[in-house]
Amino acid sequence: MDNGDIEGGEEEFHGKGGRKYLPVVADDRAVLQMSSIDPGSPSTSPLPRNPPLLKNVRVDVDSNMHSDAREGSIPDNVGVNGSQRDSKLELFGFGLVNILGLRSMTGEPIVAPSSPRDGGDGENVAISSGRPKPTDVKLGTMMGVFIPCLQNILGIIYYIRFSWIVGMAGIWESLVLVSFCGLCTFLTSISLSAIATNGAMKGGGPYYLIGRALGPEVGVSIGLCFFLGNAIAGAMYVLGAVETFLKAVPAAGIFRETITKVNGTTTAEPIHSISSHDLQIYGIVVTIILCFIVFGGVKMINRVAPAFLIPVLFSLLCIFIGVFLARKDFPKVGITGLSAETFKDNWASDYQNTNNAGIPDENGKVAWNFNALVGLFFPAVTGIMAGSNRSASLKDTQRSIPIGTLAATLSTTVLYIVSVLFFGALATRQMLLTDRLLTATIAWPFPAVVHIGIILSTLGAALQSLTGAPRLLAAIANDDILPVLNYFKVADGNEPYVATLFTALICIGCVVIGNLDLITPTITMFFLLCYSGVNLSCFLLDLLDAPSWRPRWKFHHWLLSLLGASLCIVIMFLISWLFTVISLALASLIYYYVSIKGKAGDWGDGFKSAYFQLALRSLRSLGANQVHPKNWYPIPLIFCRPWGKLPENVPCHPKLADFANCMKKKGRGMSIFVSILDGDYYERAEDAKAACKALDTYIDYKRCEGVAEIVVAPNMSEGFRGIVQTMGLGNLKPNIVVMRYPEIWRRENLTEIPATFVGIINDCIVANKAVVIVKGLDEWPNEYQRQFGTIDLYWIVRDGGLMLLLSQLLLTKESFESCKIQVFCIAEEDSDAEGLKADVKKFLYDLRMQAEVIVITMRSWDVQSDGGPQDESLEAFNAAHQRIADYMAEMKASAAKEGTQMMADGKPVVVDEQQVEKFLYTTLKLNSTILRYSRMSAVVLVSLPPPPANHPAYFYMEYMDLLVENVPRLLMVRGYRRDVVTLFT
């Protein structure tokens, strides 16, 4: 079989099977012409050069493919088999899976493909190959996560306070303290690893993780608190570095102030305090220098980071060398070297009062205990989020964040535990408590090494804080939740300069304050709040175990996450219950502000999954059995399809939602608003989506708890029949159908209304749904229109108590709360009136319903009897009687002409004229009674009579018209085969 001609070349070559090909030249396009194969013809039989049914596939071939073609090789996707394979794949109707499509699923930026060359028709399919250009260099595990976390964790606490903590708490409680705080950060790191490996992660670090797990409100509130914590922590690190520098080099101070105090030693020693002005000046200068480094971008930070970290690691090495050489050198009195006796003496705790400088003093005002030491030491284990804060700059977040964070957490925890054992065996308790720079005292070969280590460690931590905080703020702004943060938005791959400047201003402001004693606990609270958010996110996701929850990090469990969150909360209250309340209050205020002012965003958070699973579990627990009357709630199906036409852009009658709200007690319950579009589903599917969106907007605007559904059907009757059978699940199916009474049914262009209306009522009866038909919907009051008078119930037939329940629900609304209920019962004989009244009163009393009972006697069908109809009712009766007689005459004439049985609404009917008279007279009598007793009532409720069998729909509409004649606001109610109220508790 010949495959046709391939345009663009002149030289010929032969492939396998003797097939004839022409090569593809690099500068020309190849158009592969495919046609169907005749199964009866041999493979070598030629086809016409241009068959009538051709499918052109344009193939953009890259240089590699062209070179292969010139060498005589045949690409796999060219040839007979390839052409048939491509034609078969067109059955799917979508583009094949490729790199660009996969990147679009993950939200990654896609390099726009080159435009196809001119030529070809609309059936051409462009197939191009290529890869997007590489973006900026990303960071790996070491430089992107491990080193930032290590720099943030190793801070000034270890150098100047850790030995003091060992002296105060003893070795035993110090080990407990380190293990307690380390366990909290370790469990948080496990939770962080699980969430970070559950998919692609954008910038924002913990904010991104918490927001996508707990929702935008929680994510933004905790994220902004964490941003403030990082920004203020940068100021704390800067002040720590400046203070250490000024103590190491007192001559560098511009302002000097010396205060002499008596410490706990035998001789009085002057204690030099550093001037706050020196802290402010040097602190501002250092902050500005660090900001310039941060403005240089990630590359500049990576170049500078080793310069801060290597001296810190070297100082740690010098400290441990000094520990082992201390017994030999004895650098100072009180340092015994590693000694078992010293270890034994320092095993137990010895909490003492101290002065403000931390020196033991019996008259000191600062009392210490284990809880206070937790607050002092915990900042030494924070910083595990430094790597995830830079998630946008990481090459592989799913690999780098777990390995780097856990490695930094475990290595620093081991360092602290080893240091507790060494410091406890190195010096006496008095030395541990009085020498705040014991690490510098024992360092080998001289103390300046530790001074440099302290300064560089704090500056490194400050650098990481000033790097992570702006990126966190930019990530929050990029999510476009809070419009006030739009100034901090940045494009992908750009540096957040505005956010960095804002962070620097906050940092400088805190440096100018100079005293962070009151702010430092709040910083710790913000970090703990973030850690608890990460743990709760992992706990929720792990517990729900949604299909999308497939983290690569397998070592996690919801119990561990719950334990981590509990530890965070416990530590917060151990440190300070006051600052805990303040931080929670601030986060709550941000949460409230975001919920009010923020833009709605659906991130597929865990709460939505929890609601979904809770709904499913509740639905399964309800089962398919009937709900007990005590637990019965009305679930109205609001039929929005109008009888006629509504104005444009109005999806529903404006008062239907007001009436739906009146059927709920304090807004509890669900309404289902449905409408039907006539036509073919394939043609009107998009119209249905747009109508559903408009209807849903209307429901939200009317503040009605409900959902919108649009059904496309050939006509209204078939559409409603499908709705009433399938709408809802289990016991959450709608139990009441609410619709407007078609007062315009007599118009000439609406002759189909009677049959449709009667068909809907019959469908509800067959489906065992209650029916409420509203007459006078235009006059229905909204929530601000207060009504007075009575709510009158004409309780004619047993309806399971639905009419009584609806009247009680109306009383719970502000518009009807001033009304009183009157219950009218119909007695056929005078002798039954008193007994019926007593029974109804007793029944209402047992139902806890307050209402006045009125019994009306209808003794006979005689129009001239006592209590005859009103004049206007009689006029309506005569007019209806005449119209029915005319309609029946037309049916008889049509049947006689065609020689068939009388037909109406497309089916045969048998009409008993005497029965029609009785029906008309019954509605006449009831209408006149309503006009006599309830002309001024706020609303009237009356039992809805079912459509009589074998009667034309036109007759039933005449009965209904006579029933509602001259009644401005009326509800026709029909219950279903079950009780909705109960006498028992």
Side-chain angles (χ1 to χ4, degrees):
M1 186 191 78
D2 189 4
N3 294 290
D5 296 334
I6 301 179
E7 301 174 358
E10 297 178 355
E11 299 180 359
E12 298 184 1
F13 68 95
H14 294 272
K16 296 179 181 180
R19 296 182 177 90
K20 185 178 179 180
Y21 296 94
L22 293 176
V24 179
V25 181
D27 297 333
D28 296 333
R29 78 174 179 276
V31 179
L32 180 62
Q33 296 179 338
M34 299 181 296
S35 63
S36 59
I37 304 173
D38 185 4
S41 61
S43 61
T44 57
S45 62
L47 291 174
R49 180 175 180 84
N50 291 313
L53 297 176
L54 294 179
K55 183 81 173 180
N56 293 339
V57 178
R58 183 189 306 141
V59 183
D60 297 336
V61 188
D62 61 9
S63 59
N64 294 331
M65 191 179 292
H66 295 315
S67 62
D68 293 340
R70 283 192 291 268
E71 294 174 5
S73 63
I74 304 172
D76 292 338
N77 60 344
V78 178
V80 177
N81 296 334
S83 65
Q84 289 178 351
R85 182 164 61 248
D86 289 342
S87 65
K88 290 179 182 178
L89 289 174
E90 289 180 4
L91 170 66
F92 293 94
F94 293 95
L96 301 184
V97 176
N98 53 28
I99 264 303
L100 299 181
L102 293 176
R103 287 180 181 272
S104 66
M105 291 172 62
T106 60
E108 295 184 29
I110 302 174
V111 178
S114 58
S115 59
R117 299 177 182 177
D118 297 335
D121 54 19
E123 294 181 347
N124 293 344
V125 181
I127 305 175
S128 60
S129 61
R131 295 182 179 179
K133 297 181 180 180
T135 56
D136 294 338
V137 178
K138 298 289 186 176
L139 303 179
T141 302
M142 179 63 69
M143 297 301 299
V145 180
F146 180 74
I147 289 180
C149 289
L150 201 63
Q151 284 184 317
N152 254 24
I153 295 173
L154 283 177
I156 195 173
I157 299 294
Y158 177 78
Y159 288 100
I160 68 175
R161 299 296 273 178
F162 195 67
S163 59
W164 183 91
I165 291 174
V166 175
M168 186 68 71
I171 298 174
W172 163 243
E173 292 195 13
S174 296
L175 291 174
V176 174
L177 175 65
V178 172
S179 301
F180 183 62
C181 297
L183 179 63
C184 176
T185 55
F186 178 72
L187 294 176
T188 304
S189 300
I190 291 178
S191 300
L192 176 67
S193 302
I195 304 176
T197 58
N198 190 47
M201 180 177 172
K202 297 182 180 180
Y207 154 73
Y208 183 86
L209 302 178
I210 295 172
R212 268 59 181 181
L214 301 181
E217 294 85 1
V218 179
V220 171
S221 58
I222 295 181
L224 288 178
C225 290
F226 191 57
F227 160 75
L228 290 176
N230 275 281
I232 301 173
M236 182 184 68
Y237 295 137
V238 168
L239 288 176
V242 171
E243 184 176 350
T244 304
F245 171 73
L246 292 176
K247 284 185 177 180
V249 187
I254 302 174
F255 305 92
R256 295 186 180 181
E257 181 180 359
T258 301
I259 302 176
T260 303
K261 290 186 178 181
V262 179
N263 57 22
T265 58
T266 55
T267 60
E269 296 181 2
I271 299 177
H272 298 274
S273 63
I274 300 171
S275 172
S276 60
H277 300 299
D278 287 337
L279 290 175
Q280 294 168 350
I281 293 174
Y282 280 99
I284 293 174
V285 172
V286 171
T287 304
I288 293 175
I289 294 174
L290 293 177
C291 286
F292 275 112
I293 297 175
V294 175
F295 272 114
V298 176
K299 294 182 179 178
M300 177 69 72
I301 296 169
N302 290 340
R303 293 172 184 172
V304 175
F308 287 102
L309 183 62
I310 293 175
V312 173
L313 299 178
F314 180 72
S315 67
L316 292 176
L317 179 62
C318 294
I319 290 173
F320 283 103
I321 293 175
V323 168
F324 288 104
L325 298 179
R327 174 178 287 274
K328 180 180 178 181
D329 295 343
F330 286 103
K332 194 172 183 181
V333 177
I335 297 179
T336 63
L338 296 178
S339 169
E341 188 69 23
T342 306
F343 187 89
K344 182 179 179 181
D345 293 339
N346 292 332
W347 178 257
S349 61
D350 185 15
Y351 294 108
Q352 306 176 34
N353 291 343
T354 66
N355 57 20
N356 293 331
I359 307 300
D361 188 353
E362 294 181 356
N363 299 322
K365 297 181 180 179
V366 182
W368 292 94
N369 52 32
F370 183 81
N371 296 351
L373 291 183
V374 171
L376 177 63
F377 174 73
F378 192 81
V381 297
T382 59
I384 60 174
M385 299 292 178
S388 61
N389 285 345
R390 307 164 70 175
S391 56
S393 303
L394 296 178
K395 186 184 303 181
D396 186 358
T397 57
Q398 298 190 37
R399 181 179 182 273
S400 298
I401 289 180
I403 296 176
T405 304
L406 286 171
T409 303
L410 292 176
S411 59
T412 52
T413 303
V414 171
L415 172 66
Y416 291 151
I417 292 176
V418 172
S419 299
V420 168
L421 300 176
F422 282 172
F423 290 161
L426 180 66
T428 62
R429 190 181 301 273
Q430 186 69 20
M431 187 65 183
L432 293 173
L433 293 175
T434 54
D435 190 355
R436 298 184 64 178
L437 281 174
L438 180 65
T439 53
T441 303
I442 64 173
W444 177 88
F446 41 78
V449 175
V450 173
H451 291 155
I452 296 174
I454 294 174
I455 294 173
L456 292 181
S457 69
T458 51
L459 290 179
L463 181 65
Q464 297 302 329
S465 295
L466 293 176
T467 303
R471 283 160 173 75
L472 179 61
L473 183 60
I476 298 175
N478 285 341
D479 279 335
D480 201 21
I481 299 298
L482 282 179
V484 73
L485 300 179
N486 289 342
Y487 302 103
F488 305 110
K489 287 184 177 180
V490 292
D492 292 339
N494 295 340
E495 292 294 326
Y497 295 116
V498 179
T500 302
L501 181 61
F502 182 70
T503 305
L505 292 177
I506 295 177
C507 187
I508 291 174
C510 294
V511 168
V512 170
I513 295 174
N515 185 3
L516 294 178
D517 291 340
L518 296 178
I519 302 177
T520 303
T522 308
I523 298 173
T524 305
M525 297 301 168
F526 288 156
F527 282 110
L528 283 169
L529 195 62
C530 178
Y531 297 167
S532 62
V534 171
N535 282 299
L536 287 176
S537 300
C538 187
F539 163 75
L540 183 62
L541 295 174
D542 226 341
L543 192 64
L544 295 174
D545 199 16
S548 61
W549 177 244
R550 302 184 304 276
R552 296 182 184 273
W553 183 260
K554 302 301 181 183
F555 304 100
H556 62 90
H557 194 270
W558 64 268
L559 283 174
L560 296 178
S561 301
L562 181 61
L563 178 61
S566 303
L567 283 178
C568 291
I569 302 299
V570 169
I571 291 175
M572 290 176 70
F573 281 97
L574 285 179
I575 294 174
S576 172
W577 67 268
L578 179 60
F579 282 103
T580 301
V581 172
I582 292 175
S583 60
L584 291 176
L586 179 60
S588 301
L589 288 175
I590 298 176
Y591 178 91
Y592 180 74
Y593 179 77
V594 173
S595 62
I596 297 298
K597 298 293 184 180
K599 297 180 181 179
D602 187 5
W603 294 344
D605 54 87
F607 282 132
K608 300 290 179 62
S609 179
Y611 297 153
F612 181 75
Q613 291 200 21
L614 183 61
L616 290 180
R617 184 167 299 180
S618 301
L619 188 61
R620 288 196 301 266
S621 64
L622 284 176
N625 299 325
Q626 289 187 349
V627 179
H628 193 276
K630 289 191 296 184
N631 300 323
W632 188 88
Y633 282 86
I635 306 178
L637 180 72
I638 312 297
F639 189 45
C640 302
R641 175 72 180 262
W643 307 108
K645 291 185 179 181
L646 288 173
E648 293 185 3
N649 301 323
V650 179
C652 182
H653 193 286
K655 292 298 182 69
L656 267 178
D658 294 329
F659 179 75
N661 283 329
C662 289
M663 299 182 68
K664 303 173 187 176
K665 185 176 182 180
K666 299 180 180 179
R668 300 189 186 101
M670 180 181 70
S671 300
I672 303 175
F673 289 76
V674 297
S675 187
I676 299 172
L677 295 182
D678 294 338
D680 183 74
Y681 176 70
Y682 293 100
E683 296 177 356
R684 305 208 62 184
E686 294 301 323
D687 295 339
K689 293 179 182 179
C692 187
K693 185 176 180 180
L695 186 56
D696 191 63
T697 303
Y698 162 79
I699 296 172
D700 292 338
Y701 170 74
K702 300 296 288 186
R703 292 182 295 179
C704 182
E705 290 186 1
V707 295
E709 293 290 344
I710 301 294
V711 174
V712 180
N715 53 64
M716 187 188 299
S717 298
E718 292 188 18
F720 184 83
R721 190 168 295 119
I723 289 172
V724 81
Q725 292 181 77
T726 60
M727 189 66 67
L729 293 172
N731 270 320
L732 288 183
K733 290 183 177 180
N735 46 32
I736 302 177
V737 175
V738 179
M739 59 181 172
R740 183 186 185 188
Y741 181 73
E743 301 176 49
I744 58 174
W745 68 275
R746 295 188 190 278
R747 296 182 182 177
E748 294 181 359
N749 59 336
L750 299 176
T751 55
E752 77 282 355
I753 286 183
T756 304
F757 181 73
V758 172
I760 289 176
I761 296 177
N762 285 327
D763 290 340
C764 293
I765 295 174
V766 172
N768 195 26
K769 307 290 185 185
V771 183
V772 176
I773 299 175
V774 187
K775 193 262 183 180
L777 187 62
D778 295 335
E779 306 298 328
W780 193 264
N782 58 33
E783 56 184 332
Y784 305 108
Q785 296 174 330
R786 185 175 294 274
Q787 302 296 304
F788 299 94
T790 59
I791 299 175
D792 292 348
L793 282 65
Y794 286 83
W795 198 16
I796 302 173
V797 296
R798 183 177 181 274
D799 59 358
L802 178 60
M803 190 184 298
L804 297 173
L805 186 61
L806 287 178
S807 66
Q808 296 298 314
L809 292 175
L810 288 176
L811 285 182
T812 62
K813 301 301 174 183
E814 293 184 4
S815 52
F816 290 100
E817 64 181 1
S818 300
C819 299
K820 295 181 179 180
I821 296 178
Q822 293 185 146
V823 178
F824 292 86
C825 298
I826 309 299
E828 293 185 0
E829 301 294 338
D830 291 341
S831 58
D832 300 335
E834 293 300 325
L836 178 61
K837 184 174 183 179
D839 290 342
V840 173
K841 280 188 173 181
K842 178 66 168 57
F843 181 72
L844 295 178
Y845 177 81
D846 292 337
L847 288 177
R848 293 87 61 201
M849 295 181 179
Q850 294 183 354
E852 181 182 357
V853 179
I854 301 174
V855 177
I856 300 172
T857 303
M858 300 182 71
R859 293 173 295 181
S860 64
W861 293 101
D862 188 4
V863 178
Q864 303 300 326
S865 61
D866 295 338
Q870 303 291 318
D871 292 339
E872 57 265 42
S873 298
L874 191 56
E875 293 177 4
F877 171 81
N878 294 329
H881 190 277
Q882 184 61 44
R883 286 192 294 268
I884 288 178
D886 295 341
Y887 190 86
M888 189 176 297
E890 291 179 6
M891 285 195 303
K892 290 180 179 180
S894 176
K897 181 179 180 181
E898 297 179 3
T900 60
Q901 189 178 357
M902 284 195 302
M903 302 288 290
D905 308 322
K907 56 185 178 181
V909 294
V910 178
V911 179
D912 185 350
E913 297 185 14
Q914 186 177 3
Q915 191 179 37
V916 172
E917 293 283 345
K918 289 183 178 180
F919 287 163
L920 281 174
Y921 187 71
T922 300
T923 53
L924 164 67
K925 200 64 172 163
L926 187 54
N927 177 260
S928 63
T929 303
I930 292 173
L931 294 179
R932 176 180 302 168
Y933 293 100
S934 305
R935 189 182 291 271
M936 302 303 295
S937 62
V939 61
V940 176
L941 285 77
V942 64
S943 298
L944 174 69
N950 299 324
H951 278 225
Y954 182 88
F955 288 8
Y956 183 73
M957 295 304 298
E958 289 288 357
Y959 305 153
M960 291 297 97
D961 254 13
L962 183 56
L963 176 62
V964 304
E965 184 71 25
N966 297 319
V967 183
R969 195 181 297 156
L970 181 138
L971 303 181
M972 290 174 280
V973 181
R974 177 175 177 81
Y976 57 111
R977 296 184 294 272
R978 59 158 305 166
D979 294 333
V980 298
V981 294
T982 179
L983 303 177
F984 305 100
T985 182

